[in-house]
Amino acid sequence: MTLKHFIERPVLASVISILIVIAGLIGLVSLPVEQFPDIAPPTVMVRASYPGASAETIQKAVIVPLEQAVNGVENMDYITSSAAAGSASLTIYFRQGTDPDMAAVNVQNKISRATGMLPPEVTQIGVQTMKRQTSMVKIFALYSPDNTYDETFLSNYSMINIVPRIQRIPGVGEVFTLGADYSMRIWLKPDVMAQYGLIPSDISAALAEQNIEAATGTLGENSDNAFQYTMKYRGRHMLPEEFGQIVLLANDDGTILRLKDVAEIELGSESYAYKGYTNGHPGVSTMIFQTAGSNATQVVEDIEALLDEVRAELPKGVEIAHLQSVNDFLYASINEVIKTLIEAIILVVLVVYVFLQDIRSTIIPTVSILVALIGTFAFLSVAGFSINLLTLFALVLAIGTVVDDAIIVVEAVQARFDAGYRSSFMATIDAMSGITSAIVTSTLVFMAVFIPVSMMGGTSGVFYTQFGITMAVAVGISAVNALTLSPALCAIIMKPYVDENGNEKDNFSARFRKAYNTAFGAIVDKYQRGVLFFIKRRWMMWGTLIAAMAALVLLMNSTKTGLIPTEDQGTIMVNVTTAPGSSLEQTEKIMEEIDRRISSIPQIRAYTKVSGYGLIAGQGPSYGMFIIKLKEWAQRPGEEDKVTHISNLIMGMTADIKDAQVFAIVPPMISGYGTSNGFEMHVQDFGDGDINSLYDITMQFIGALNRRPEIGMAYTTYNVNFPQYIVDIDAAKCKRAGVSPTEVLSVLSGYYGGQYVSNIN
């Protein structure tokens, strides 16, 4: 089959292009939509709790055994861990391309080997292993605008009615609510317990033997009785009054010591580590992380659809506030890209008409643009790509290129008309015989420029593969169209500029062509004179070239570099770190002061405040954070309304607060790469130093970074200056008193650290 077959059989050429368009439309409908390709390495998070333990104890008793067990898991790249009072977390990063499901399974298998080396308190609560990325895809808050409900109720309501449903959404890796569920709080009275010779372990033992579920069997299972009876034990207690009746001592004289006699019992919060407010009212914030390889856009859409259902079920006096979503910026960006895409198509069509000067000739390149762009979506679907900012950007750039092949065909046919051809069919056949090899060659050369991008490795390679391949495929489809449909259309609709008698037609196109050629000829004359001016003065040409090269080197060295630019995503996160050792109450006072100041910023639509949790450090009484949702972009048109200006404003408004470090950060442009834009480094001690020397060196390094002009702010949450008491136990005195050191530590833990000893329904 030759190109002449397509010219002679325009229906065949049309069918080929129609099939390309149909396949492209199917791909367009089925393709996922996301901000950027999935380039973040898969990560698995491991969490453990050790109530009452210090960070150093957590490191030695929990993190070290877990790290030793997990280290070396298949396809692991590196591992990081952090210890805070009462909690430990490990993040295992895997090589790109690793199956996140298998990674989580392999980590869980490794963790199970370390369970025996962990403290019993840790294994009783459990070690959580979850596959999730490090960036949040959605943050929302459940709050009470009229202060009807407190944080504990809101947290409990969320954990019962919202969190389980979100966890069932495909692609959700973790749902982390900054609040605590209800629990039965038993506040022991040490002086009363001492009178009866009781210690906290005695209370734990009583709960273990009386607050239980039990299988008590049946009566009459194998008998001649008419009925069979199931014996039902009351099971775990549910009310404070029921717990108060637990028997601790039963004397021979009939006196009974019950739990209510030595303790105060109430239905309270499982943890008092957080204090949360949303828009100045009690609220709990929920952060949602995605799993590696999932589509963030689809995950967020499913979450928001669920929250719309939940909103209709909320009790009166409870509302949901949306604080952050990757889709907000994504859809705004895609709308702008689509708008640019349409504008580019219109501009290209106008330019083509101006130069071709004929409506019929303009239709052919216009059809080529649509076929090439729509057909590219079919390849994106087959290749497993997505509709994202990079692929759409590639299509915008490709518009000016995919039209070239069709223009070559039209210009070649028009040249045959100018040479005297009167038959469109013969002019097209003759034109295609001379330009076919040029179209194929130029297309292959163009594709050869972008295809090697797909061979790049690392993050940049994954990032730009979809961009390069999209460009190459769009141009390839345009070449196919230029060799099939464009010649067929030329033979059907193109007509010479002259009539059958050889006279130029007198119509709008002819008059426009005459006026345009006159103006264009004048411009060409000026251009020729300028070229002759430089030819006669070659030193100016070489001087201009040298100056351009020097400017290129200068600009390359002075221009800022980065993977992608920072954009206004409509969200600001404020991290607050108070003085080491500050209580939650002291941190809350500082947070209230910051709240009072930033609440006056007019660009803020909603915000939430959490005391006891930092964006970087995690849980701790001396940490806090704000998550601020700005108004829509259309309501913030000025430069003073941009996210960078507002974040700088917040830092300026809080700079005089001496009891805390406050800095505003912008969420990362790429999900899965931390909590903010910028980069993250880890200082590791390979010697035999202690944590104090490591802290000193780290502070010196932070200071050196902050002195560099290219660093906006360097910061670390690592701090060893927390006030502590050293507990020293005299083992000899313990032995003489008939008490083991373990019992002493258990009593301290029970009275001061708190213990998780039983369950309630």
Side-chain angles (χ1 to χ4, degrees):
M1 180 181 292
T2 62
L3 294 180
K4 185 177 179 181
H5 287 80
F6 296 108
I7 301 173
E8 294 174 343
R9 299 172 177 81
V11 174
L12 175 61
S14 301
V15 168
I16 293 174
S17 295
I18 290 173
L19 289 176
I20 292 175
V21 171
I22 292 175
L25 291 175
I26 295 174
L28 178 61
V29 173
S30 61
L31 279 171
V33 180
E34 55 186 350
Q35 184 171 340
F36 291 111
D38 183 26
I39 65 173
T43 57
V44 174
M45 175 75 73
V46 178
R47 280 211 179 105
S49 297
Y50 192 178
S54 66
E56 192 170 358
T57 302
I58 291 283
Q59 178 197 12
K60 296 176 181 178
V62 180
I63 287 183
V64 170
L66 292 179
E67 279 194 350
Q68 289 177 343
V70 171
N71 189 40
V73 67
E74 185 178 358
N75 291 325
M76 189 190 86
D77 196 0
Y78 62 97
I79 181 173
T80 64
S81 59
S82 63
S87 64
S89 66
L90 284 79
T91 304
I92 302 99
Y93 295 82
F94 291 83
R95 298 183 183 93
Q96 288 176 334
T98 302
D99 184 353
D101 295 317
M102 287 305 303
V105 170
N106 293 335
V107 170
Q108 182 61 49
N109 292 337
K110 294 280 190 178
I111 291 294
S112 62
R113 295 168 49 189
T115 304
M117 295 182 288
L118 298 176
E121 294 84 354
V122 176
T123 56
Q124 182 181 7
I125 298 175
V127 179
Q128 293 180 302
T129 301
M130 63 202 80
K131 53 174 186 175
R132 46 148 281 191
Q133 299 297 78
T134 57
S135 295
M136 297 164 283
V137 295
K138 177 72 178 178
I139 304 175
F140 71 92
L142 192 70
Y143 74 108
S144 179
D146 56 4
N147 301 330
T148 304
Y149 301 101
D150 60 9
E151 299 169 55
T152 306
F153 173 87
L154 295 171
S155 177
N156 178 260
Y157 185 91
S158 179
M159 292 181 179
I160 293 175
N161 300 286
I162 302 178
V163 171
R165 297 162 69 177
I166 295 177
Q167 290 173 329
R168 293 194 292 268
I169 294 176
V172 172
E174 182 188 9
V175 184
F176 183 42
T177 299
L178 294 173
D181 206 350
Y182 282 116
S183 71
M184 196 62 63
R185 306 291 298 200
I186 300 175
W187 303 99
L188 301 179
K189 301 176 182 178
D191 53 343
V192 179
M193 291 186 62
Q195 295 176 13
Y196 294 98
L198 298 176
I199 59 176
S201 60
D202 297 323
I203 309 300
S204 301
L207 289 168
E209 66 182 12
Q210 299 179 49
N211 183 47
I212 58 173
E213 297 288 349
T216 50
T218 59
L219 291 175
E221 182 177 2
N222 186 23
S223 68
D224 297 331
N225 295 334
F227 297 99
Q228 177 176 311
Y229 298 90
T230 300
M231 291 187 292
K232 181 181 178 182
Y233 181 62
R234 70 173 188 274
R236 296 194 188 105
H237 299 302
M238 298 178 61
L239 302 176
E241 294 78 12
E242 295 174 343
F243 277 89
Q245 295 300 317
I246 288 179
V247 177
L248 301 179
L249 295 174
N251 300 319
D252 296 335
D253 58 1
T255 58
I256 298 175
L257 181 67
R258 301 185 184 274
L259 183 58
K260 65 180 181 180
D261 299 324
V262 299
E264 294 181 0
I265 307 168
E266 65 174 358
L267 183 63
S269 177
E270 184 179 0
S271 171
Y272 296 100
Y274 308 110
K275 284 189 177 181
Y277 293 87
T278 300
N279 297 332
H281 304 283
V284 293
S285 301
T286 299
M287 300 182 291
I288 303 172
F289 301 81
Q290 71 177 118
T291 59
S294 61
N295 183 283
T297 306
Q298 187 61 48
V299 171
V300 173
E301 286 182 352
D302 294 341
I303 293 171
E304 292 180 345
L306 175 62
L307 292 180
D308 290 337
E309 296 178 10
V310 170
R311 183 177 282 108
E313 306 168 2
L314 293 175
K316 185 179 180 181
V318 179
E319 294 291 340
I320 292 177
H322 295 275
L323 300 171
Q324 189 258 345
S325 169
V326 295
N327 281 7
D328 294 341
F329 176 73
L330 168 65
Y331 288 145
S333 301
I334 286 183
N335 288 337
E336 289 298 317
V337 173
I338 293 175
K339 178 182 175 182
T340 304
L341 187 65
I342 296 173
E343 293 173 348
I345 293 175
I346 294 174
L347 288 175
V348 168
V349 171
L350 290 176
V351 171
V352 169
Y353 173 75
V354 167
F355 281 89
L356 297 182
Q357 304 154 10
D358 182 64
I359 293 293
R360 293 172 178 265
S361 301
T362 305
I363 293 175
I364 299 171
T366 303
V367 172
S368 177
I369 293 175
L370 298 177
V371 172
L373 295 184
I374 297 175
T376 304
F377 290 109
F379 177 84
L380 296 181
S381 180
V382 173
F385 292 174
S386 62
I387 299 176
N388 55 64
L389 297 183
L390 287 177
T391 52
L392 290 177
F393 178 54
L395 292 179
V396 172
L397 292 183
I399 290 175
T401 305
V402 298
V403 75
D404 290 345
D405 292 334
I407 291 177
I408 292 173
V409 175
V410 172
E411 287 282 9
V413 174
Q414 186 60 51
R416 298 304 185 275
F417 287 152
D418 295 339
Y421 280 78
R422 297 293 179 267
S423 169
S424 301
F425 180 80
M426 296 305 299
T428 303
I429 291 178
D430 188 46
M432 293 305 297
S433 64
I435 64 172
T436 299
S437 59
I439 292 175
V440 174
T441 302
S442 62
T443 301
L444 292 177
V445 169
F446 186 90
M447 294 176 68
V449 174
F450 287 95
I451 288 179
V453 175
S454 63
M455 304 176 186
M456 293 174 59
T459 299
S460 299
V462 177
F463 197 77
Y464 289 110
T465 292
Q466 295 194 19
F467 171 80
I469 297 299
T470 301
M471 286 282 292
V473 170
V475 174
I477 294 176
S478 73
V480 173
N481 184 81
L483 298 176
T484 55
L485 183 61
S486 294
L489 292 177
C490 287
I492 295 174
I493 66 176
M494 284 192 66
K495 302 296 181 184
Y497 292 153
V498 296
D499 56 21
E500 297 178 355
N501 300 322
N503 299 322
E504 187 172 355
K505 298 177 181 179
D506 186 16
N507 52 26
F508 174 78
S509 296
R511 292 191 295 272
F512 176 80
R513 183 166 50 253
K514 187 178 297 182
Y516 174 79
N517 289 338
T518 301
F520 188 73
I523 296 175
V524 170
D525 289 340
K526 293 181 179 179
Y527 173 74
Q528 289 176 345
R529 288 195 293 271
V531 171
L532 290 173
F533 177 81
F534 276 97
I535 290 176
K536 294 177 181 179
R537 298 166 178 82
R538 296 182 180 180
W539 64 270
M540 293 185 64
M541 179 189 66
W542 289 109
T544 303
L545 179 61
I546 294 173
M549 293 296 293
L552 175 63
V553 173
L554 178 63
L555 292 174
M556 288 183 65
N557 291 329
S558 59
T559 303
K560 296 180 180 179
T561 59
L563 183 60
I564 53 174
T566 300
E567 299 285 351
D568 185 345
Q569 300 186 67
T571 301
I572 297 176
M573 298 183 179
V574 181
N575 190 82
V576 181
T577 303
T578 60
S582 298
S583 65
L584 186 63
E585 190 66 27
Q586 179 64 23
T587 301
E588 175 64 16
K589 292 179 181 178
I590 297 175
M591 295 289 287
E592 289 176 355
E593 175 63 21
I594 299 173
D595 186 348
R596 186 184 62 80
R597 299 187 184 190
I598 68 174
S599 60
S600 61
I601 299 177
Q603 294 88 349
I604 294 178
R605 189 182 76 183
Y607 67 95
T608 189
K609 175 189 69 176
V610 179
S611 301
Y613 188 88
L615 287 169
I616 301 175
Q619 190 270 326
S622 58
Y623 305 119
M625 71 172 182
F626 288 84
I627 300 175
I628 300 172
K629 179 64 177 176
L630 302 179
K631 294 179 180 178
E632 297 298 324
W633 290 272
Q635 299 175 309
R636 299 185 288 114
E639 286 298 322
E640 70 280 1
D641 300 322
K642 300 303 181 184
V643 66
T644 51
H645 182 274
I646 299 173
S647 62
N648 292 333
L649 177 63
I650 292 174
M651 295 184 67
M653 295 172 66
T654 57
D656 62 327
I657 300 178
K658 299 180 180 180
D659 296 330
Q661 288 181 311
V662 182
F663 67 94
I665 58 179
V666 179
M669 290 297 298
I670 306 175
S671 296
Y673 278 88
T675 57
S676 65
N677 285 313
F679 56 92
E680 183 178 293
M681 294 185 295
H682 297 269
V683 179
Q684 188 171 3
D685 183 7
F686 285 98
D688 296 327
D690 57 13
I691 59 174
N692 294 303
S693 60
L694 177 62
Y695 175 74
D696 293 337
I697 294 173
T698 302
M699 289 298 102
Q700 295 174 16
F701 184 54
I702 292 292
L705 287 175
N706 283 319
R707 287 193 293 270
R708 297 188 64 87
E710 63 267 32
I711 302 295
M713 174 180 285
Y715 177 80
T716 181
T717 59
Y718 179 60
N719 200 318
V720 298
N721 295 321
F722 286 81
Q724 302 178 60
Y725 283 107
I726 301 299
V727 177
D728 189 17
I729 297 178
D730 191 327
K733 289 184 178 181
C734 289
K735 289 297 184 180
R736 284 195 293 268
V739 179
S740 69
T742 304
E743 290 178 298
V744 176
L745 292 173
S746 176
V747 171
L748 283 174
S749 175
Y751 283 133
Y752 296 102
Q755 294 178 343
Y756 173 67
V757 297
S758 190
N759 299 303
I760 63 170
N761 292 332

